[in-house]
Amino acid sequence: LRTVFRATETGPVQVIEAPSPVALPIIDLCALTQDDRQHEGRRLGAEEASRPFDLARDPVLRAGLVRFEEAGFTLWLTLHHIASDGWSMEILTRELGTLYASFAAGEPSPLPELPVQYADYATWQRGWLAGEVLEAEVDYWREQLSGAPPVLELPTDRPRPPVQTQSGGRVALRLDAELGASLQTASRRAGATLYMVLLSGLNALLSRLSGQPDVSVGTPIAGRTLVEIEPLIGFFVNTLVLRSHAEAGASFDETVEQVRSMVLEAHAHQEVPFEKLVEELAPDRSLSYPPLFQVMFVLQNVPPSGGERPDLAIRPVEQTNRTSKFDLTIAAVESGDSVSVSLVYNTDLFDRTTIQRWAQHYAALLESAVASPERSLSELSLLGSAEHHQLVFEAREAESFSESSTLLALFSAQVRRSPDSIAVVGDPEAALSYGVLDLRAGALASRLVSLGVGPEMRVGLLAERTPDLLVALLGILKAGGVYVPLDPAYPDERLRFMLEDSGAVALVTCGQHSDLDLALPTVRVEEMGLETFEVSVLPQPENLAYVIYTSGSTGRPKGVGVTHANVVRLLRSTESAYGFDASDVWTLFHSYAFDFSVWEIWGALAYGGRLVVVPHWVSRTPSAMVDLLSREGVTVLNQTPSAFG
């Protein structure tokens, strides 16, 4: 605790300073009202916790006293992580209480001299963990983490920033005593620990949220494998990367067994410092996310130091957490049969409501797992009883009238109602009525069927922003296919990947486009005439309507399949709020490869309205956009707030 770290030509050097008094400033808040004292105390605590250290000059320990009343003080201790860990804080708190009692009684320190110091341990570790020993340990981790996804792609509320931030928030969750007891029983039955069962449930949840069965989670370990170092204050903790495969078809019991074996193996190879592991494995690095894992899991089952003495009560004071080192940290605390969980999250990625929902999902999944451990992970419920009733029964009652609807059925109803009404316009010479749009889409569907397109088959759609885009989209659906939107602005490499990854059997184009040189049957919309086409196999609500791809900003793009029922539910959920009808004029402002466009396109066609396709240059020219909105009499405009900046 009296060490500084100075830079030299050969690297940083640990310099142990001579013993000296620790500065202990006193801040007196007694003159403030009680509410103001608490507010100011929290503000000062947060300010102190965020104040940086100068490790080359400053001690790694800072202290201060805040007086809240004549006989009431709060002591703050701020330690840099380079010289401390959770175990160290327990030692420090316990020894501080012991020394206080002795010195207050005028007695000398009762603490024995330490046989070794942290510097001794550091020297020993550097000599032992080298050569063949280090190579063997690194080889284990190299094999264990080979091929692991670099990023766990949880569904964020905002795009990941190019440089990782550490702005944090916290959500608390308490698992009731009944569930806590059930988790303990499940642990004993599986020959595992509570930690392993909680981690198995977390892996299952993260896999469900991300769609990735291969999940890597970080976890801290005490690192005090030698008896001699147990009483030392210092940074001994290490971080392990726990990689598991949460296969959807595996039972929860099987998952716990897999996690148990994996955790035991990892602890047997715990000596390699995490920083050394990153150096040796050399994963692709990005400033936007931490390497090897982005989610941390912690279980604390040792009660914090404290206690009552004649003139001293030691109790921890919880501070508001405003930082998050990872995307998400799940910290569980075991106390008897109950388990409390805190979820610390990056506020630049997630909204608080999202993390609150995930916390409830975690509790529901654990409850479902211990009740039916033989069930597969995909069958474990993420919904609590109240949420289940709301989403299943109330939603079903509210939307029962639309359960049999599909996008094609909604469009066909508008064709029958008003075939001569204008459905889509691009410019005055490019307007299509509902009837003509239906016939042109029918001709395209007939051609696609002759090429072998049928139900649930993926068809790439590469189109410029013209009314023909709607012909292409409807033609694919009429053939029973699933459209895969391909924005012409995408690089050819991305377009090829999306076609290959989605398993597209054909490609529909309109306008100028990149020559992808693919061995796929290709149909140009401009070559189609007018044709009545009878759909031989009507799509069902559960059938896919389209497959849309993520941006791929954190890795390879991922295709997301969306059903007819999904889109119909979106439309119906907004119908009563806005009262859309055939008099409305909508804009297709966004790329049809961006999910915002779904509401724009189908909102117009489902209600019999008119869709105005906004040319790309107009969407980027404010004055031209205003002219278009006025000229076309637009009544429904979908925009992100930034567009109005």
Side-chain angles (χ1 to χ4, degrees), residues 99-111:
L99 292 171
Y100 182 94
S102 296
F103 294 165
E107 299 173 356
S109 167
L111 299 177

Side-chain angles (χ1 to χ4, degrees), residues 17 91 151 153 219 250 305 337 358 488 575 644:
E17 304 279 25
I91 296 172
V151 181
E153 294 188 357
T219 192
S305 297
D337 280 340
W358 290 0
E575 181 180 35
F644 295 96

Side-chain angles (χ1 to χ4, degrees), residues 52 57 74 204 211-212 232 236 255 358 429 440 495 539 573 604 609 623 631:
R57 296 189 312 164
T74 292
Q212 296 174 223
L232 297 186
F236 294 91
T255 302
W358 290 0
E429 283 75 41
R440 290 194 61 193
L495 296 176
S573 67
S623 59
R631 182 176 69 251

